[in-house]
Short mmCIF file of all heavy atoms in Angstrom, two decimals:
data_model
loop_
_atom_site.label_atom_id
_atom_site.label_comp_id
_atom_site.label_asym_id
_atom_site.label_seq_id
_atom_site.Cartn_x
_atom_site.Cartn_y
_atom_site.Cartn_z
N GLU A 3 3.11 -0.14 -2.82
CA GLU A 3 4.33 -0.40 -3.58
C GLU A 3 4.37 0.30 -4.91
O GLU A 3 5.45 0.51 -5.47
CB GLU A 3 4.54 -1.90 -3.74
CG GLU A 3 4.91 -2.59 -2.47
CD GLU A 3 5.22 -4.07 -2.65
OE1 GLU A 3 4.96 -4.61 -3.73
OE2 GLU A 3 5.74 -4.67 -1.70
N SER A 4 3.23 0.65 -5.47
CA SER A 4 3.19 1.39 -6.72
C SER A 4 2.00 2.36 -6.69
O SER A 4 1.09 2.21 -5.87
CB SER A 4 3.07 0.44 -7.92
OG SER A 4 1.87 -0.29 -7.84
N ASP A 5 2.02 3.32 -7.58
CA ASP A 5 0.96 4.32 -7.63
C ASP A 5 -0.10 3.86 -8.62
O ASP A 5 0.14 3.84 -9.83
CB ASP A 5 1.53 5.67 -8.06
CG ASP A 5 0.47 6.76 -8.18
OD1 ASP A 5 -0.70 6.48 -7.86
OD2 ASP A 5 0.81 7.86 -8.63
N PRO A 6 -1.28 3.46 -8.15
CA PRO A 6 -2.32 2.99 -9.06
C PRO A 6 -2.98 4.11 -9.86
O PRO A 6 -3.68 3.85 -10.82
CB PRO A 6 -3.32 2.30 -8.15
CG PRO A 6 -3.08 2.90 -6.82
CD PRO A 6 -1.66 3.33 -6.77
N GLY A 7 -2.79 5.35 -9.43
CA GLY A 7 -3.35 6.50 -10.15
C GLY A 7 -4.86 6.38 -10.29
O GLY A 7 -5.54 5.95 -9.37
N ASP A 8 -5.38 6.76 -11.45
CA ASP A 8 -6.82 6.76 -11.68
C ASP A 8 -7.32 5.45 -12.29
O ASP A 8 -8.47 5.33 -12.68
CB ASP A 8 -7.21 7.93 -12.61
CG ASP A 8 -7.12 9.27 -11.90
OD1 ASP A 8 -7.33 9.33 -10.67
OD2 ASP A 8 -6.84 10.27 -12.58
N ASP A 9 -6.46 4.43 -12.36
CA ASP A 9 -6.80 3.13 -12.90
C ASP A 9 -7.52 2.31 -11.83
O ASP A 9 -6.89 1.81 -10.89
CB ASP A 9 -5.55 2.41 -13.39
CG ASP A 9 -5.83 1.04 -14.01
OD1 ASP A 9 -6.94 0.51 -13.84
OD2 ASP A 9 -4.89 0.49 -14.60
N SER A 10 -8.84 2.17 -11.95
CA SER A 10 -9.61 1.51 -10.90
C SER A 10 -9.16 0.07 -10.65
O SER A 10 -9.09 -0.37 -9.51
CB SER A 10 -11.11 1.54 -11.23
OG SER A 10 -11.37 0.89 -12.45
N ASP A 11 -8.83 -0.68 -11.71
CA ASP A 11 -8.39 -2.05 -11.51
C ASP A 11 -7.04 -2.14 -10.82
O ASP A 11 -6.77 -3.07 -10.10
CB ASP A 11 -8.33 -2.79 -12.85
CG ASP A 11 -9.75 -3.07 -13.39
OD1 ASP A 11 -10.68 -3.17 -12.58
OD2 ASP A 11 -9.89 -3.15 -14.62
N ALA A 12 -6.17 -1.16 -11.07
CA ALA A 12 -4.83 -1.17 -10.44
C ALA A 12 -4.92 -1.04 -8.93
O ALA A 12 -4.06 -1.54 -8.22
CB ALA A 12 -3.97 -0.04 -11.01
N TRP A 13 -6.00 -0.43 -8.43
CA TRP A 13 -6.17 -0.30 -6.98
C TRP A 13 -6.33 -1.67 -6.32
O TRP A 13 -5.90 -1.87 -5.18
CB TRP A 13 -7.33 0.61 -6.63
CG TRP A 13 -6.93 2.04 -6.68
CD1 TRP A 13 -6.97 2.85 -7.79
CD2 TRP A 13 -6.36 2.81 -5.65
NE1 TRP A 13 -6.46 4.09 -7.50
CE2 TRP A 13 -6.09 4.09 -6.17
CE3 TRP A 13 -6.03 2.56 -4.32
CZ2 TRP A 13 -5.52 5.11 -5.41
CZ3 TRP A 13 -5.48 3.58 -3.56
CH2 TRP A 13 -5.22 4.84 -4.10
N LEU A 14 -6.92 -2.62 -7.01
CA LEU A 14 -7.07 -3.97 -6.45
C LEU A 14 -5.79 -4.76 -6.50
O LEU A 14 -5.56 -5.65 -5.69
CB LEU A 14 -8.16 -4.74 -7.21
CG LEU A 14 -9.58 -4.22 -7.08
CD1 LEU A 14 -10.53 -5.11 -7.84
CD2 LEU A 14 -10.00 -4.14 -5.61
N ASN A 15 -4.92 -4.45 -7.46
CA ASN A 15 -3.70 -5.21 -7.66
C ASN A 15 -2.47 -4.59 -7.02
O ASN A 15 -1.40 -5.19 -7.03
CB ASN A 15 -3.46 -5.41 -9.16
CG ASN A 15 -4.61 -6.15 -9.80
OD1 ASN A 15 -5.12 -7.10 -9.25
ND2 ASN A 15 -5.03 -5.70 -10.96
N THR A 16 -2.58 -3.40 -6.49
CA THR A 16 -1.45 -2.72 -5.85
C THR A 16 -1.21 -3.30 -4.46
O THR A 16 -2.12 -3.37 -3.64
CB THR A 16 -1.70 -1.21 -5.73
OG1 THR A 16 -1.89 -0.69 -7.06
CG2 THR A 16 -0.57 -0.50 -5.06
N ARG A 17 0.02 -3.75 -4.22
CA ARG A 17 0.36 -4.37 -2.94
C ARG A 17 0.66 -3.33 -1.87
O ARG A 17 1.22 -2.28 -2.16
CB ARG A 17 1.59 -5.27 -3.09
CG ARG A 17 1.31 -6.56 -3.82
CD ARG A 17 2.54 -7.46 -3.97
NE ARG A 17 3.51 -7.37 -2.91
CZ ARG A 17 3.54 -8.17 -1.82
NH1 ARG A 17 2.63 -9.11 -1.70
NH2 ARG A 17 4.47 -8.03 -0.94
N VAL A 18 0.27 -3.65 -0.65
CA VAL A 18 0.63 -2.81 0.50
C VAL A 18 2.06 -3.17 0.87
O VAL A 18 2.35 -4.33 1.15
CB VAL A 18 -0.32 -3.06 1.69
CG1 VAL A 18 0.17 -2.34 2.92
CG2 VAL A 18 -1.73 -2.64 1.32
N GLY A 19 2.95 -2.18 0.86
CA GLY A 19 4.35 -2.43 1.18
C GLY A 19 4.60 -2.39 2.69
O GLY A 19 5.37 -3.18 3.21
N ALA A 20 3.95 -1.47 3.40
CA ALA A 20 4.15 -1.37 4.84
C ALA A 20 3.05 -0.51 5.44
O ALA A 20 2.38 0.25 4.74
CB ALA A 20 5.52 -0.74 5.15
N VAL A 21 2.88 -0.63 6.75
CA VAL A 21 1.88 0.17 7.50
C VAL A 21 2.54 0.72 8.75
O VAL A 21 3.28 0.02 9.42
CB VAL A 21 0.65 -0.70 7.91
CG1 VAL A 21 -0.32 0.08 8.74
CG2 VAL A 21 -0.01 -1.30 6.67
N TRP A 22 2.28 1.99 9.03
CA TRP A 22 2.73 2.63 10.25
C TRP A 22 1.50 3.04 11.04
O TRP A 22 0.54 3.53 10.48
CB TRP A 22 3.54 3.89 9.97
CG TRP A 22 4.90 3.63 9.43
CD1 TRP A 22 6.07 3.60 10.12
CD2 TRP A 22 5.26 3.39 8.06
NE1 TRP A 22 7.14 3.33 9.29
CE2 TRP A 22 6.65 3.22 8.01
CE3 TRP A 22 4.54 3.31 6.87
CZ2 TRP A 22 7.32 2.97 6.84
CZ3 TRP A 22 5.22 3.06 5.70
CH2 TRP A 22 6.59 2.90 5.69
N LYS A 23 1.50 2.80 12.35
CA LYS A 23 0.43 3.20 13.23
C LYS A 23 1.03 4.00 14.37
O LYS A 23 1.93 3.54 15.03
CB LYS A 23 -0.33 1.99 13.77
CG LYS A 23 -1.46 2.37 14.69
CD LYS A 23 -2.54 1.31 14.69
CE LYS A 23 -3.68 1.65 15.59
NZ LYS A 23 -4.34 2.89 15.31
N GLY A 24 0.53 5.21 14.56
CA GLY A 24 1.07 6.07 15.58
C GLY A 24 2.55 6.39 15.37
O GLY A 24 3.29 6.56 16.32
N GLY A 25 2.97 6.41 14.10
CA GLY A 25 4.35 6.70 13.79
C GLY A 25 5.30 5.51 13.90
O GLY A 25 6.47 5.62 13.63
N GLU A 26 4.75 4.34 14.25
CA GLU A 26 5.57 3.15 14.43
C GLU A 26 5.22 2.12 13.36
O GLU A 26 4.04 1.82 13.15
CB GLU A 26 5.30 2.55 15.83
CG GLU A 26 6.37 1.67 16.33
CD GLU A 26 6.13 1.32 17.79
OE1 GLU A 26 5.88 2.22 18.60
OE2 GLU A 26 6.18 0.10 18.10
N ARG A 27 6.23 1.57 12.72
CA ARG A 27 6.01 0.58 11.67
C ARG A 27 5.47 -0.71 12.28
O ARG A 27 6.09 -1.30 13.16
CB ARG A 27 7.29 0.30 10.89
CG ARG A 27 7.06 -0.51 9.63
CD ARG A 27 8.30 -0.54 8.82
NE ARG A 27 8.03 -1.20 7.53
CZ ARG A 27 8.86 -1.18 6.54
NH1 ARG A 27 10.03 -0.55 6.64
NH2 ARG A 27 8.56 -1.78 5.41
N VAL A 28 4.29 -1.14 11.80
CA VAL A 28 3.68 -2.35 12.35
C VAL A 28 3.58 -3.48 11.33
O VAL A 28 3.14 -4.57 11.66
CB VAL A 28 2.26 -2.04 12.91
CG1 VAL A 28 2.37 -1.10 14.10
CG2 VAL A 28 1.34 -1.47 11.83
N SER A 29 3.97 -3.23 10.06
CA SER A 29 3.97 -4.29 9.07
C SER A 29 5.07 -4.08 8.08
O SER A 29 5.58 -2.97 7.89
CB SER A 29 2.63 -4.37 8.33
OG SER A 29 2.56 -3.38 7.34
N ARG A 30 5.46 -5.15 7.42
CA ARG A 30 6.45 -5.13 6.36
C ARG A 30 5.96 -6.12 5.31
O ARG A 30 5.55 -7.22 5.62
CB ARG A 30 7.81 -5.55 6.91
CG ARG A 30 8.93 -5.44 5.94
CD ARG A 30 10.29 -5.84 6.51
NE ARG A 30 10.50 -5.80 7.95
CZ ARG A 30 10.84 -4.68 8.67
NH1 ARG A 30 10.99 -3.55 8.08
NH2 ARG A 30 11.01 -4.76 9.95
#
């Protein structure tokens, strides 16, 4: 949902917005 960039702590707090597997959306 956001770009954590080079901020190591931001990587833990960045939410996953969606996942695609094999070109098909499998999460929201």
Side-chain angles (χ1 to χ4, degrees):
E3 290 185 348
S4 62
D5 179 4
D8 288 329
D9 181 347
S10 60
D11 289 332
W13 278 89
L14 293 182
N15 300 318
T16 300
R17 287 180 32 92
V18 172
V21 176
W22 287 263
K23 181 154 180 57
E26 202 171 309
R27 191 171 187 168
V28 294
S29 79
R30 185 179 338 276

